[in-house]
Amino acid sequence: MVYIYVGIAGALGAILRYLIGISLLTNSTFPWATLVTNLAGSFLLAWLTTTLFKKIPVSPVVASSIGTGFVGSFTTFSTLSVETVELFKDDHLLLGIAYVLVSIAGGIFMSRLGFKVNKEVEKA
């Protein structure tokens, strides 16, 4: 049964990612939509696992559905990889390198921020 919940949550995460993608369509060469969703997802997963799920106890099924299903489909490493290769292929080497560096460093920063929000809430 957990597979069904993860699948439903995954579908919702993918739909949200798609909606963000079409709302952030720009004429820019830089893949802003993927960057925004991956950074937001990094924060969200850290915040959910360290803050929300600690305050509101949820079953492992719900935690897996939200974390693996929703957030996992909302963010995507494969799109980051393909878009980076496309930037390189189109001779946008510096943009491709910047995209990878900002994605990785930004994802780590946003995850850290998600953990830090929990510590600030605990202090209050």
Side-chain angles (χ1 to χ4, degrees), residues 28-32 83-84 87-88 91-102:
S28 173
T29 303
F30 195 82
W32 290 106
E83 290 171 342
T84 302
L87 287 170
F88 290 162
D91 294 324
H92 298 292
L93 183 63
L94 290 178
L95 270 181
I97 292 169
Y99 181 43
V100 169
L101 292 176
V102 170

Side-chain angles (χ1 to χ4, degrees), residues 47 50-51 55 114-124:
W47 178 76
T50 62
T51 303
K55 291 186 176 293
F115 282 105
K116 192 168 180 67
V117 168
N118 177 49
K119 290 185 180 191
E120 295 301 320
V121 169
E122 287 177 350
K123 287 181 186 177

Side-chain angles (χ1 to χ4, degrees), residues 104-118:
I104 293 171
I108 292 168
F109 173 79
M110 293 301 286
S111 293
R112 179 70 183 129
L113 187 61
F115 282 105
K116 192 168 180 67
V117 168
N118 177 49

Side-chain angles (χ1 to χ4, degrees), residues 17 20-22 24-25 30-38 83 99:
R17 183 187 187 300
I20 289 172
I22 61 174
L24 291 180
L25 281 179
F30 195 82
W32 290 106
T34 303
L35 181 64
V36 167
T37 55
N38 285 342
E83 290 171 342
Y99 181 43

